[in-house]
Structure formats: C-alpha cells, structure tokens
Coordinates of all heavy atoms in Angstrom, one line a residue:
M1 N 99.6 113.8 108.0 CA 99.8 112.4 108.5 C 101.2 111.9 108.1 O 101.7 112.1 106.9 CB 98.8 111.5 107.8 CG 99.0 110.0 108.1 SD 97.8 109.1 107.2 CE 98.5 107.5 107.3
E2 N 101.9 111.3 109.1 CA 103.3 110.8 108.8 C 103.3 109.3 109.0 O 102.6 108.8 109.8 CB 104.3 111.5 109.7 CG 104.5 113.0 109.3 CD 105.7 113.6 110.0 OE1 106.4 112.9 110.7 OE2 105.8 114.8 110.0
G3 N 104.2 108.7 108.3 CA 104.4 107.2 108.5 C 105.4 106.7 107.5 O 106.3 107.4 107.0
T4 N 105.3 105.4 107.2 CA 106.2 104.8 106.3 C 105.6 104.7 104.9 O 104.4 104.2 104.7 CB 106.5 103.4 106.8 OG1 107.0 103.5 108.1 CG2 107.6 102.7 105.9
C5 N 106.3 105.1 103.9 CA 105.8 105.1 102.5 C 105.7 103.6 102.1 O 106.6 102.8 102.3 CB 106.8 105.8 101.6 SG 106.3 105.6 99.9
E6 N 104.6 103.2 101.5 CA 104.4 101.9 101.1 C 105.2 101.5 99.8 O 105.3 100.3 99.5 CB 102.9 101.6 100.8 CG 102.0 101.7 102.0 CD 100.5 101.4 101.7 OE1 100.2 100.7 100.7 OE2 99.7 101.9 102.5
L7 N 105.7 102.5 99.2 CA 106.4 102.3 98.0 C 108.0 102.3 98.2 O 108.6 101.3 97.8 CB 106.0 103.3 97.0 CG 106.0 102.9 95.5 CD1 105.2 101.7 95.3 CD2 105.4 104.1 94.7
C8 N 108.5 103.3 98.8 CA 109.9 103.3 99.0 C 110.4 103.0 100.4 O 111.5 102.9 100.7 CB 110.5 104.7 98.6 SG 109.9 106.1 99.7
Y9 N 109.4 102.8 101.3 CA 109.6 102.4 102.7 C 110.4 103.3 103.5 O 111.1 103.0 104.5 CB 110.3 101.0 102.7 CG 109.4 99.9 102.0 CD1 109.8 99.4 100.8 CD2 108.2 99.6 102.5 CE1 109.1 98.4 100.1 CE2 107.4 98.6 101.9 CZ 107.8 98.1 100.7 OH 107.1 97.2 100.1
R10 N 110.5 104.6 103.0 CA 111.1 105.6 103.9 C 110.2 105.8 105.1 O 109.0 105.9 104.9 CB 111.3 106.9 103.1 CG 112.6 106.9 102.4 CD 113.0 108.3 102.0 NE 112.0 108.9 101.1 CZ 111.9 110.2 100.8 NH1 112.8 111.0 101.3 NH2 111.0 110.6 99.9
E11 N 110.8 106.0 106.2 CA 110.0 106.2 107.5 C 109.9 107.6 107.8 O 110.7 108.5 107.5 CB 110.7 105.4 108.6 CG 110.6 103.9 108.4 CD 111.3 103.1 109.4 OE1 111.8 103.7 110.4 OE2 111.4 101.9 109.2
N12 N 108.8 107.9 108.6 CA 108.6 109.3 109.1 C 108.5 110.3 108.0 O 109.1 111.4 108.1 CB 109.6 109.7 110.1 CG 109.7 108.7 111.3 OD1 108.6 108.3 111.8 ND2 110.8 108.3 111.6
V13 N 107.9 110.0 106.9 CA 107.7 110.9 105.8 C 106.2 111.4 105.8 O 105.3 110.6 106.3 CB 108.0 110.4 104.4 CG1 109.6 110.2 104.3 CG2 107.3 109.1 104.2
V14 N 105.9 112.5 105.2 CA 104.5 112.9 105.1 C 103.9 112.1 104.0 O 104.4 112.0 102.9 CB 104.5 114.4 104.7 CG1 103.0 114.8 104.5 CG2 105.1 115.3 105.8
L15 N 102.8 111.5 104.3 CA 102.1 110.6 103.4 C 101.0 111.2 102.7 O 100.2 112.0 103.3 CB 101.6 109.3 104.1 CG 102.7 108.5 104.8 CD1 102.1 107.3 105.6 CD2 103.7 107.9 103.7
T16 N 100.8 110.9 101.4 CA 99.7 111.3 100.7 C 98.9 110.1 100.3 O 99.4 109.0 100.1 CB 100.1 112.1 99.4 OG1 100.9 111.2 98.6 CG2 100.9 113.3 99.8
K17 N 97.6 110.2 100.1 CA 96.7 109.1 99.7 C 96.8 108.9 98.2 O 96.5 109.9 97.5 CB 95.3 109.5 100.1 CG 94.7 108.8 101.3 CD 93.2 109.1 101.3 CE 92.6 109.0 102.7 NZ 91.2 109.3 102.7
H18 N 97.0 107.8 97.8 CA 96.9 107.5 96.4 C 95.8 106.4 96.2 O 95.8 105.4 96.8 CB 98.3 106.9 95.8 CG 98.1 106.4 94.4 ND1 97.9 107.2 93.4 CD2 98.2 105.2 93.9 CE1 97.8 106.5 92.3 NE2 98.0 105.2 92.6
H19 N 95.0 106.7 95.2 CA 93.9 105.8 94.9 C 94.4 104.8 93.9 O 94.6 105.2 92.7 CB 92.6 106.5 94.5 CG 92.0 107.3 95.5 ND1 90.9 106.9 96.2 CD2 92.3 108.5 96.1 CE1 90.6 107.8 97.1 NE2 91.4 108.8 97.1
L20 N 94.6 103.6 94.2 CA 95.1 102.6 93.3 C 94.0 102.4 92.2 O 94.3 102.1 91.1 CB 95.4 101.3 94.0 CG 96.6 101.4 94.9 CD1 96.7 100.2 95.8 CD2 97.9 101.5 94.1
L21 N 92.8 102.5 92.7 CA 91.6 102.3 91.8 C 90.8 103.6 92.0 O 90.4 103.8 93.2 CB 90.9 101.0 92.0 CG 90.1 100.4 90.9 CD1 90.9 100.2 89.7 CD2 89.5 99.1 91.4
L22 N 90.5 104.3 91.0 CA 89.7 105.5 91.2 C 88.3 105.1 91.6 O 87.8 104.1 91.3 CB 89.6 106.3 89.9 CG 90.9 106.9 89.4 CD1 90.7 107.5 88.0 CD2 91.5 107.8 90.3
R23 N 87.6 106.0 92.4 CA 86.3 105.7 92.8 C 85.3 105.4 91.7 O 84.5 104.6 91.7 CB 85.7 107.0 93.6 CG 86.1 107.0 95.0 CD 85.6 108.1 95.8 NE 86.4 108.3 97.0 CZ 86.3 107.5 98.0 NH1 85.4 106.5 98.1 NH2 87.0 107.8 99.1
A24 N 85.5 106.2 90.6 CA 84.7 106.0 89.4 C 84.9 104.6 88.8 O 84.0 104.1 88.1 CB 85.1 107.0 88.4
E25 N 86.0 103.9 89.1 CA 86.3 102.6 88.6 C 85.9 101.5 89.6 O 86.3 100.4 89.5 CB 87.8 102.5 88.2 CG 88.3 103.6 87.4 CD 88.2 103.3 85.9 OE1 87.9 102.2 85.6 OE2 88.6 104.2 85.1
G26 N 85.3 101.9 90.7 CA 84.9 100.9 91.7 C 85.9 100.8 92.8 O 85.9 99.8 93.5
G27 N 86.7 101.8 93.0 CA 87.7 101.8 94.0 C 87.1 101.9 95.4 O 86.1 102.6 95.6
K28 N 87.7 101.2 96.3 CA 87.2 101.2 97.7 C 88.3 101.6 98.6 O 89.4 101.8 98.2 CB 86.6 99.9 98.1 CG 85.4 99.5 97.3 CD 84.6 98.3 97.9 CE 83.5 97.8 97.1 NZ 84.0 96.7 96.2
E29 N 88.0 101.5 99.9 CA 89.1 101.8 100.9 C 90.3 101.0 100.8 O 91.4 101.5 100.9 CB 88.5 101.6 102.3 CG 87.6 102.7 102.8 CD 88.2 104.1 102.8 OE1 89.2 104.2 103.5 OE2 87.6 105.0 102.2
E30 N 90.2 99.7 100.4 CA 91.3 98.9 100.3 C 92.2 99.2 99.1 O 93.3 98.7 99.0 CB 91.0 97.4 100.3 CG 90.2 97.0 99.1 CD 88.7 96.8 99.4 OE1 88.2 97.5 100.2 OE2 88.1 95.9 98.8
H31 N 91.7 100.1 98.3 CA 92.5 100.5 97.1 C 93.3 101.8 97.3 O 93.9 102.3 96.4 CB 91.6 100.7 95.9 CG 91.0 99.4 95.4 ND1 89.6 99.1 95.5 CD2 91.5 98.2 94.9 CE1 89.4 97.9 95.1 NE2 90.5 97.3 94.7
I32 N 93.2 102.3 98.5 CA 93.9 103.5 98.9 C 95.3 103.0 99.5 O 95.3 102.2 100.3 CB 93.2 104.4 99.9 CG1 91.9 104.9 99.2 CG2 94.1 105.5 100.4 CD1 91.0 105.6 100.1
S33 N 96.3 103.6 99.0 CA 97.6 103.4 99.6 C 98.2 104.7 100.1 O 97.9 105.8 99.5 CB 98.6 102.7 98.6 OG 98.8 103.5 97.5
Y34 N 99.1 104.6 101.0 CA 99.7 105.8 101.5 C 101.2 105.8 101.1 O 102.0 105.0 101.5 CB 99.6 105.9 103.1 CG 98.1 106.0 103.5 CD1 97.3 104.9 103.7 CD2 97.6 107.3 103.6 CE1 96.0 105.1 104.1 CE2 96.3 107.5 104.0 CZ 95.5 106.4 104.2 OH 94.2 106.6 104.5
I35 N 101.5 106.8 100.3 CA 102.8 106.9 99.8 C 103.3 108.4 100.0 O 102.5 109.3 100.2 CB 102.9 106.5 98.3 CG1 102.0 107.4 97.5 CG2 102.6 105.0 98.2 CD1 102.0 107.0 96.0
C36 N 104.6 108.5 100.0 CA 105.2 109.9 100.2 C 105.0 110.7 98.9 O 104.7 110.2 97.8 CB 106.7 109.8 100.6 SG 107.8 109.3 99.2
E37 N 105.1 112.0 99.1 CA 104.9 112.9 98.0 C 105.8 112.7 96.8 O 105.4 112.8 95.6 CB 105.1 114.4 98.5 CG 103.9 114.8 99.3 CD 104.0 116.3 99.8 OE1 105.1 116.9 99.4 OE2 103.1 116.8 100.4
A38 N 107.0 112.3 97.1 CA 108.0 112.1 96.0 C 107.5 110.9 95.1 O 107.5 111.0 93.9 CB 109.4 111.8 96.6
C39 N 107.1 109.8 95.8 CA 106.7 108.6 95.0 C 105.4 109.0 94.3 O 105.2 108.5 93.2 CB 106.4 107.5 96.0 SG 107.9 106.7 96.6
H40 N 104.5 109.7 95.0 CA 103.2 110.0 94.4 C 103.4 110.8 93.1 O 102.8 110.5 92.1 CB 102.4 110.8 95.4 CG 100.9 110.6 95.2 ND1 100.0 111.1 96.1 CD2 100.2 110.1 94.2 CE1 98.8 110.8 95.7 NE2 98.9 110.2 94.5
K41 N 104.2 111.8 93.2 CA 104.5 112.6 92.0 C 105.1 111.8 90.9 O 104.7 111.9 89.7 CB 105.5 113.7 92.4 CG 105.2 115.1 91.8 CD 106.2 116.1 92.2 CE 105.5 117.2 93.1 NZ 106.5 118.1 93.7
H42 N 106.0 110.9 91.3 CA 106.7 110.0 90.4 C 105.7 109.1 89.6 O 105.8 109.1 88.4 CB 107.7 109.2 91.2 CG 108.5 108.3 90.3 ND1 109.5 108.8 89.5 CD2 108.6 107.0 90.3 CE1 110.1 107.8 88.9 NE2 109.6 106.7 89.3
I43 N 104.8 108.5 90.3 CA 104.0 107.5 89.6 C 103.0 108.3 88.7 O 102.6 107.8 87.6 CB 103.2 106.5 90.5 CG1 102.3 107.3 91.5 CG2 104.2 105.6 91.2 CD1 101.5 106.3 92.3
H44 N 102.6 109.5 89.1 CA 101.6 110.2 88.2 C 102.3 110.9 87.0 O 101.7 111.2 86.1 CB 100.9 111.2 89.0 CG 99.8 110.6 89.8 ND1 98.6 110.2 89.3 CD2 99.7 110.3 91.2 CE1 97.8 109.6 90.3 NE2 98.5 109.7 91.4
T45 N 103.6 111.0 87.1 CA 104.4 111.5 86.0 C 104.6 110.3 85.0 O 104.5 110.5 83.8 CB 105.8 112.0 86.4 OG1 105.6 113.0 87.4 CG2 106.6 112.6 85.3
L46 N 104.8 109.2 85.5 CA 105.1 108.0 84.7 C 103.8 107.4 84.1 O 103.9 107.0 82.9 CB 105.7 106.9 85.6 CG 107.2 107.0 85.9 CD1 107.6 105.8 86.7 CD2 108.0 107.0 84.6
Y47 N 102.7 107.4 84.8 CA 101.5 106.7 84.3 C 100.3 107.6 84.3 O 100.2 108.5 85.1 CB 101.2 105.5 85.2 CG 102.4 104.6 85.4 CD1 103.0 104.6 86.7 CD2 102.8 103.8 84.4 CE1 104.1 103.7 86.9 CE2 103.9 102.9 84.6 CZ 104.5 102.9 85.9 OH 105.6 102.1 86.1
T48 N 99.4 107.3 83.3 CA 98.2 108.0 83.3 C 97.2 107.3 84.3 O 97.5 106.2 84.7 CB 97.5 108.0 81.9 OG1 97.3 106.6 81.6 CG2 98.4 108.5 80.9
N49 N 96.1 108.0 84.7 CA 95.2 107.3 85.6 C 94.6 106.0 85.0 O 94.4 105.1 85.7 CB 94.0 108.3 85.9 CG 94.4 109.3 86.9 OD1 95.3 109.1 87.7 ND2 93.7 110.4 86.9
R50 N 94.5 106.0 83.7 CA 93.9 104.8 83.0 C 94.9 103.6 83.2 O 94.6 102.6 83.6 CB 93.7 105.1 81.6 CG 93.1 104.0 80.8 CD 91.6 104.3 80.4 NE 90.8 104.0 81.6 CZ 90.1 102.9 81.7 NH1 90.2 101.9 80.9 NH2 89.3 102.8 82.8
E51 N 96.2 103.9 82.9 CA 97.2 102.9 83.1 C 97.3 102.4 84.5 O 97.4 101.2 84.8 CB 98.6 103.4 82.6 CG 98.7 103.5 81.1 CD 100.0 104.2 80.7 OE1 100.4 105.2 81.4 OE2 100.6 103.8 79.7
L52 N 97.2 103.3 85.4 CA 97.2 102.9 86.8 C 96.0 102.0 87.2 O 96.1 101.1 87.9 CB 97.2 104.2 87.7 CG 98.5 105.0 87.7 CD1 98.2 106.4 88.4 CD2 99.6 104.3 88.5
A53 N 94.8 102.4 86.7 CA 93.6 101.6 87.0 C 93.6 100.3 86.4 O 93.2 99.3 87.0 CB 92.4 102.4 86.5
V54 N 94.2 100.2 85.2 CA 94.1 98.9 84.5 C 95.2 97.9 84.9 O 94.9 96.8 85.2 CB 94.2 99.1 82.9 CG1 94.4 97.8 82.2 CG2 93.0 99.9 82.4
G55 N 96.4 98.4 85.0 CA 97.5 97.4 85.2 C 98.2 97.6 86.5 O 99.0 96.7 86.9
L56 N 98.0 98.7 87.2 CA 98.9 99.0 88.4 C 98.0 99.2 89.6 O 98.3 100.1 90.4 CB 99.7 100.2 88.1 CG 100.6 100.1 86.8 CD1 101.1 101.4 86.4 CD2 101.8 99.2 87.2
N57 N 97.0 98.4 89.8 CA 96.1 98.7 90.9 C 96.5 97.9 92.2 O 95.6 97.7 93.1 CB 94.7 98.5 90.5 CG 94.3 97.2 89.9 OD1 95.1 96.2 90.1 ND2 93.3 97.1 89.2
T58 N 97.6 97.3 92.2 CA 98.1 96.8 93.5 C 99.5 97.4 93.7 O 100.2 97.7 92.8 CB 98.3 95.2 93.5 OG1 99.2 94.9 92.5 CG2 97.0 94.5 93.2
I59 N 99.8 97.6 95.0 CA 101.1 98.3 95.3 C 102.3 97.5 94.8 O 103.3 98.1 94.4 CB 101.1 98.5 96.9 CG1 102.2 99.6 97.2 CG2 101.4 97.3 97.6 CD1 101.7 101.0 96.9
K60 N 102.2 96.2 94.7 CA 103.4 95.5 94.2 C 103.7 95.7 92.7 O 104.8 95.4 92.3 CB 103.3 94.0 94.6 CG 102.3 93.2 93.9 CD 102.5 91.7 94.3 CE 101.4 90.8 93.7 NZ 100.6 91.2 92.6
D61 N 102.7 96.1 92.0 CA 102.9 96.3 90.6 C 103.5 97.6 90.3 O 104.0 97.9 89.2 CB 101.5 96.3 89.8 CG 101.0 94.8 89.8 OD1 101.8 93.9 89.7 OD2 99.7 94.7 89.8
L62 N 103.5 98.5 91.2 CA 104.1 99.8 91.0 C 105.6 99.8 90.9 O 106.2 99.1 91.6 CB 103.6 100.8 92.0 CG 102.2 101.3 91.9 CD1 101.8 102.1 93.1 CD2 102.0 102.1 90.6
Ligands
LIG101 ZN1 107.9 106.9 98.8
LIG102 ZN1 97.8 109.3 93.2

C-alpha cells in the first residue's frame, strides 16, 4: 500500500500500519496510523511499546 506518511508527509511512499494503541490495551481501528517504514523504524527505536501506549497514542504527539 502506498500513500502519504502521516508523520513526515512524504508522498507516494510504502506505508506500514502502526498501532498507536496496542490491541491488548484496547486499541481499535482509529488507533491505527499509516506511516512510512523509515518513520516506523524510528519511533520504535526511540520508544518502547509501553511509552507509545501511555503518552504517544495520538499522531500529533509523535
Ligand atoms: Zn514517514
Ligand atoms: Zn509500530
């Protein structure tokens, strides 16, 4: 799937699904964001899943 990354706004990049809130934490469809692989790798390098779930569960917080 290609489109615009919700994080860096690059266009026509391959998008990966990022769960802003894990399913185990009550995450639903609206908690999924589509970001490019570079951003995805980046946020998972910077933050643990716990940190993402607690404080970074909206795209604007990232
Ligand atoms: Zn990106
Ligand atoms: Zn992710």
Side-chain angles (χ1 to χ4, degrees):
M1 174 183 162
E2 289 187 14
T4 304
C5 174
E6 292 181 26
L7 214 50
C8 65
Y9 301 112
R10 273 197 297 167
E11 292 175 8
N12 304 314
V13 290
V14 176
L15 297 175
T16 60
K17 256 191 204 180
H18 171 69
H19 292 259
L20 292 167
L21 205 53
L22 297 177
R23 276 182 199 286
E25 310 268 355
K28 299 194 186 90
E29 285 298 308
E30 66 257 32
H31 294 112
I32 294 171
S33 61
Y34 292 91
I35 58 180
C36 70
E37 285 181 357
C39 288
H40 208 169
K41 221 177 246 175
H42 184 66
I43 60 175
H44 283 286
T45 304
L46 281 180
Y47 308 109
T48 64
N49 280 337
R50 183 106 284 262
E51 285 172 322
L52 288 167
V54 171
L56 300 164
N57 54 22
T58 62
I59 197 80
K60 68 172 175 19
D61 288 326
L62 285 171

